[in-house]
Amino acid sequence: MSIITARSLTKTFLVSTKKPGIRGTLRHFFARSFSRVEAVDCVEFDIEPGEIVGFIGPNGAGKTTTLKMLCGLIHPSYGQALVDGDIPHLRHSSFLKKITFVMGQKQQLIWDLPPLDSFKVNAAVYGLTDLEARKRIHELANMLDIDDELKRPVRKLSLGQRMKAELMASLLHRPSVLFLDEPTLGLDVNAQIRIREFLSDYNKKFKATILLTSHYMADITSLSRRVILIHKGKIFYDGDLKKLTESLSPSRSVNIEFHNIYPRQELEQYGIIEEYQNSYVRFLIPREKLSLSLTSILNRFSVKDLEVTDLPIELLISELFKHGKTQNVNIGS
Amino acid sequence: MKDKIITTLKILFSFWKTSIAIDMEYRLNFFVEIVSVIGNLSGSIFVLSLLFGPNTTLGGWSWNDSLIILGLYTILDGFTTSILQPNLSRIVRHVQNGTLDFVLLKPFKSQLWLSLRVISPWGIPAVISGFILIAYSLAVNSRMIQSEMILLGSLMLLSSLIILYSLWFLLSTLSIWFVKVWNTTEVLRSTLVAGRYPVSAYPNFLRIIFTFVLPIAFLTTVPAEAILGGVSNVYFIGSLVFSIFLFTSSILFWRFALRYYTSASS
């Protein structure tokens, strides 16, 4: 049975609009005009226990609003969300003990005190005994490779250390459903990798379900097999990440270094030549022709080195959002 | 029920430990606060003394009895500094920065969290001096202090604390829609200053406003009357009903407001 379900989930915001200039300001002060914005529009999906799902979309697509409805922060305008059998916006304490929401751009740690003090407050709020809290802090600190930093005031910590501590504060009650909104925002590559590894470990160890948004595709590709693509409040793809890549890019990139230089005309029959520099050639070869073409190339020519890669997913997805080519993707594939 | 109360107290205790730890970083502030309380109080007593000549009264209140009102005002002021100001002014910031999210996601009553998350020790000198002033006034008057009056007085003081808290919380709740509501709570705090003197000392129209619109009368004058044994039944019951009504309204209004919370976007 699914642990998270969204049915016709919709959120409409009333946004006040203001024209520029002094006249606009005065008009805005006395008579405000509002417009309706469909932040999330009839979103539907199911997530199974233990799944890690990547939620992708450009800024303002409705990712965060969806997460906020799922964790009960905002009420849906229409439709329903269910998380482990609970209606989120009722915010029952049994529900709140099962979930967590980590936001890359907001922090709950007390700025002037060491993270350990914030952990103690959270431990009390979630009703953990001192012993249990200490055990969990130790366990999470080990998994995140952080130790003495927990005794320093939060304001003295680096962004990466602060994010680790923030994760600890959010996971102390050992939630089984994690909503993560840009958890690696602004972190350097090393810290990003560390956080990713940690999330993967946490998922395996506690069978936790994770719904994650990130602008770093590497977060998504390394953690989740399934992605949900959202644009202008609507879902237009929900399924396997690999299948998405295949459908977005029907060809693969093949880089070959030959022992000799061959004429361009001779090579053109195997695929589209993207780059041709002496003995180095980069082809784009349709997936269905790939094995046949490679066999022929290896039989006919003397090959020194060969590499087959996919086009970077960032590039594919950003192209997709830019051109709004939503009809090219099969929903639910 | 009992377990729930113990858990809640444990949580509040852990809140206050951290908030006092933060305040203790600034030791000098404590001495400044004591000096400021002494300054304020002597200023108020001086102004009050100017209003009194030999054998005169202020709206029917003698010099000594007026000191009780001033004492009650000082207690409320200390309560504001220790609890209301540091907690309720944060609601606006929480809404503005979107950190209210963290409060709402905790398995703990959000109103209780927002109202009692922090306790600031800086209001304690005012609370103590308020009580001293009341005790002094009663002693000088050499009144017979009956336990009944103490009980009624304490009940009325509790009622006035609830009224003040509820009004402040109701106004702060507006920040869910209007975000910046600092000015409204500022108006409340400055009106409270009017509670230094007996309501009967004000002109008629202000007296009506201070009783029915801004309940200054219930904050200081009515509790003082209760301590002196002269409170009328209407005001006594009125104060209780009013405080229960406002407190319930603050809870219901907060629940209603949260339906409109949009959480500052990230």
Side-chain angles (χ1 to χ4, degrees):
Chain A
M1 211 186 91
S2 311
I3 193 160
I4 302 175
T5 47
R7 291 287 171 268
S8 311
L9 202 59
T10 302
K11 183 73 195 178
T12 315
F13 286 119
L14 269 185
V15 182
S16 65
T17 44
K18 176 190 165 300
K19 286 189 177 150
I22 189 94
R23 189 180 286 183
T25 306
L26 285 173
R27 191 171 291 168
H28 184 69
F29 187 81
F30 289 107
R32 245 160 233 213
S33 55
F34 291 93
S35 60
R36 267 176 194 283
V37 175
E38 297 271 345
V40 175
D41 193 3
C42 263
V43 157
E44 305 219 346
F45 55 80
D46 294 275
I47 293 174
E48 301 306 313
E51 247 190 306
I52 304 185
V53 178
F55 209 31
I56 312 174
N59 287 333
K63 306 179 298 271
T64 308
T65 308
T66 307
L67 289 192
K68 282 178 181 168
M69 282 194 276
L70 290 176
C71 67
L73 276 176
I74 53 179
H75 290 226
S77 311
Y78 183 76
Q80 203 194 26
L82 267 185
V83 176
D84 203 9
D86 280 290
I87 297 172
H89 70 256
L90 298 179
R91 284 189 286 110
H92 288 310
S93 114
S94 59
F95 164 73
L96 295 172
K97 283 182 178 173
K98 286 186 285 197
I99 64 145
T100 199
F101 188 24
V102 179
M103 292 166 270
Q105 43 299 65
K106 293 180 192 173
Q107 61 153 29
Q108 61 167 322
L109 297 171
I110 305 166
W111 188 246
D112 287 319
L113 298 179
L116 280 175
D117 282 300
S118 297
F119 299 166
K120 275 187 189 157
V121 172
N122 277 9
V125 170
Y126 287 101
L128 303 180
T129 61
D130 282 352
L131 184 73
E132 188 59 35
R134 265 204 302 275
K135 229 171 84 184
R136 291 189 188 184
I137 290 169
H138 183 71
E139 186 182 22
L140 289 169
N142 267 342
M143 286 169 82
L144 276 162
D145 194 20
I146 186 169
D147 185 25
D148 275 345
E149 295 90 337
L150 298 175
K151 292 177 193 147
R152 272 186 239 149
V154 172
R155 59 167 192 268
K156 304 262 181 193
L157 300 181
S158 72
L159 195 59
Q161 292 163 339
R162 221 184 298 153
M163 195 59 224
K164 286 179 181 178
E166 196 67 39
L167 272 170
M168 287 180 71
S170 310
L171 299 174
L172 204 58
H173 60 290
R174 212 170 273 170
S176 54
V177 181
L178 278 60
F179 298 105
L180 310 175
D181 192 19
E182 310 267 356
T184 54
L185 193 79
L187 303 186
D188 65 41
V189 180
N190 286 335
Q192 281 180 25
I193 293 172
R194 196 79 205 89
I195 301 276
R196 262 175 234 148
E197 284 171 354
F198 167 76
L199 291 174
S200 169
D201 290 349
Y202 187 91
N203 162 263
K204 285 187 194 114
K205 200 166 178 180
F206 303 112
K207 309 273 176 284
T209 312
I210 301 179
L211 184 55
L212 142 113
T213 80
S214 179
H215 278 121
Y216 302 114
M217 275 310 293
D219 284 350
I220 310 271
T221 49
S222 67
L223 282 170
S224 40
R225 280 174 49 197
R226 175 181 165 195
V227 291
I228 297 176
L229 259 62
I230 184 168
H231 188 44
K232 293 186 178 160
K234 285 191 165 73
I235 288 182
F236 62 87
Y237 180 82
D238 177 357
D240 201 84
L241 177 62
K242 220 172 134 202
K243 278 189 190 155
L244 175 71
T245 322
E246 285 171 12
S247 80
L248 287 178
S249 147
S251 306
R252 300 193 81 186
S253 178
V254 178
N255 307 323
I256 300 180
E257 194 165 0
F258 296 102
H259 279 116
N260 308 308
I261 300 173
Y262 299 105
R264 197 180 170 121
Q265 294 82 349
E266 233 176 283
L267 298 169
E268 266 171 348
Q269 55 179 304
Y270 301 103
I272 302 161
I273 296 178
E274 290 270 294
E275 210 176 325
Y276 180 85
Q277 279 179 8
N278 302 328
S279 62
Y280 172 79
V281 183
R282 187 157 65 85
F283 294 94
L284 262 185
I285 303 177
R287 282 172 196 273
E288 62 275 12
K289 278 175 67 185
L290 189 66
S291 52
L292 199 67
S293 299
L294 288 183
T295 322
S296 318
I297 292 172
L298 289 169
N299 284 339
R300 257 188 85 180
F301 308 101
S302 163
V303 172
K304 194 173 164 191
D305 192 18
L306 183 146
E307 188 194 27
V308 183
T309 57
D310 272 316
L311 288 175
I313 182 83
E314 277 96 339
L315 195 74
L316 295 173
I317 288 182
S318 87
E319 281 293 306
L320 182 72
F321 288 132
K322 206 153 67 190
H323 301 300
K325 288 191 291 187
T326 56
Q327 62 277 17
N328 293 351
V329 184
N330 291 328
I331 293 176
S333 54
Chain B
M1 184 69 189
K2 198 180 151 201
D3 281 353
K4 222 172 173 181
I5 293 172
I6 292 174
T7 320
T8 307
L9 285 177
K10 260 191 194 166
I11 294 171
L12 290 178
F13 186 60
S14 80
F15 282 174
W16 297 337
K17 266 202 297 198
T18 57
S19 80
I20 287 175
I22 296 169
D23 271 336
M24 285 302 157
E25 296 271 322
Y26 310 99
R27 269 184 301 184
L28 184 67
N29 206 5
F30 190 67
F31 298 105
V32 173
E33 198 57 38
I34 289 178
V35 172
S36 119
V37 166
I38 293 170
N40 262 335
L41 203 56
S42 27
S44 303
I45 293 172
F46 175 69
V47 173
L48 199 59
S49 72
L50 292 180
L51 300 172
F52 282 93
N55 302 322
T56 54
T57 60
L58 186 64
W61 289 70
S62 71
W63 158 252
N64 273 322
D65 293 350
S66 302
L67 285 184
I68 294 181
I69 292 188
L70 194 56
L72 285 164
Y73 165 79
T74 314
I75 293 171
L76 290 182
D77 195 42
F79 172 67
T80 307
T81 309
S82 269
I83 309 272
L84 300 184
Q85 185 80 42
N87 285 297
L88 303 186
S89 60
R90 270 182 193 211
I91 297 179
V92 178
R93 250 181 296 151
H94 275 315
V95 173
Q96 211 172 10
N97 304 334
T99 43
L100 186 61
D101 295 359
F102 292 116
V103 179
L104 296 178
L105 288 175
K106 295 286 186 305
F108 190 71
K109 290 262 171 270
S110 56
Q111 183 169 357
L112 193 61
W113 176 301
L114 292 167
S115 307
L116 291 172
R117 171 68 184 85
V118 181
I119 194 162
S120 156
W122 315 133
I124 295 171
V127 174
I128 294 172
S129 34
F131 278 112
I132 292 174
L133 197 60
I134 295 170
Y136 165 82
S137 154
L138 291 173
V140 171
N141 258 352
S142 54
R143 280 176 188 273
M144 281 295 289
I145 301 169
Q146 292 165 359
S147 54
E148 190 188 305
M149 290 177 190
I150 299 287
L151 190 73
L152 287 185
S154 313
L155 199 60
M156 286 296 97
L157 177 62
L158 182 69
S159 169
S160 71
L161 291 174
I162 293 172
I163 290 173
L164 185 60
Y165 158 78
S166 308
L167 278 177
W168 203 306
F169 192 81
L170 279 165
L171 287 176
S172 305
T173 302
L174 292 175
S175 61
I176 296 283
W177 290 278
F178 305 110
V179 186
K180 285 187 186 171
V181 290
W182 274 300
N183 297 341
T184 46
T185 50
E186 207 38 59
V187 168
L188 191 69
R189 188 155 199 185
S190 31
T191 340
L192 180 63
V193 177
R196 286 185 209 209
Y197 311 113
V199 167
S200 51
Y202 291 98
N204 256 338
F205 77 98
L206 275 181
R207 212 180 299 170
I208 293 167
I209 290 177
F210 287 164
T211 312
F212 298 108
V213 186
L214 296 159
I216 299 295
F218 291 114
L219 293 182
T220 50
T221 309
V222 175
E225 283 171 346
I227 293 171
L228 294 167
V231 66
S232 73
N233 283 342
V234 177
Y235 277 112
F236 179 74
I237 294 167
S239 171
L240 291 181
V241 170
F242 197 45
S243 65
I244 293 168
F245 168 74
L246 279 179
F247 187 63
T248 317
S249 308
S250 79
I251 295 172
L252 296 177
F253 190 50
W254 176 244
R255 277 192 209 155
F256 172 74
L258 285 183
R259 300 182 55 132
Y260 295 89
Y261 178 58
T262 53
S263 167
S265 61
S266 42

